[in-house]
Amino acid sequence: MDGTGDLFTAFVRVAPPQYEPIVIRLSARASYDELKAEVAPKLPVGRPFVILGESFSGPLALRLAASSSDVRAVIFSNSFVCSPGKPMLRFLPWRVLFSVG
């Protein structure tokens, strides 16, 4: 799961003609609030749609769904709504740990 949408290329290619899949690539290293502000204007307006939250975009999908009356469903693909990590792990300096290299 890399957040690029590349894993859905085949799905988009073979989707039935009545559906219009839109893959929105997320910016790296942004907060959920920043991502919501970036993604919300790219969503359909005035017509029903479904949001698929992949990997770490599950919480973002839920936030977007809560802010649109046009959303009919939210699908979580290899994702979560609340972080599955142990509560104490959130205090580790993850950005520092994963930026080494």
Side-chain angles (χ1 to χ4, degrees):
M1 304 277 116
D2 59 8
T4 65
D6 292 344
L7 296 173
F8 294 101
T9 302
F11 171 77
V12 171
R13 191 174 339 122
V14 299
Q18 67 267 30
Y19 298 106
E20 182 186 337
I22 301 169
V23 176
I24 300 174
R25 297 176 187 276
L26 301 178
S27 299
R29 296 192 173 138
S31 71
Y32 285 122
D33 289 335
E34 292 167 333
L35 290 171
K36 182 181 175 192
E38 177 184 329
V39 172
K42 298 176 183 178
L43 299 177
V45 176
R47 61 187 170 111
F49 65 97
V50 173
I51 296 176
L52 187 149
E54 172 203 6
S55 188
F56 288 93
S57 67
L60 174 62
L62 193 60
R63 289 177 189 206
L64 290 165
S67 66
S68 173
S69 61
D70 295 323
V71 174
R72 297 299 180 255
V74 179
I75 301 168
F76 298 99
S77 173
N78 296 312
S79 191
F80 53 87
V81 173
C82 297
S83 176
K86 296 186 187 318
M88 291 305 293
L89 293 178
R90 71 175 155 214
F91 297 110
L92 289 174
W94 293 109
R95 287 186 186 200
V96 173
L97 293 172
F98 287 106
S99 65
V100 177

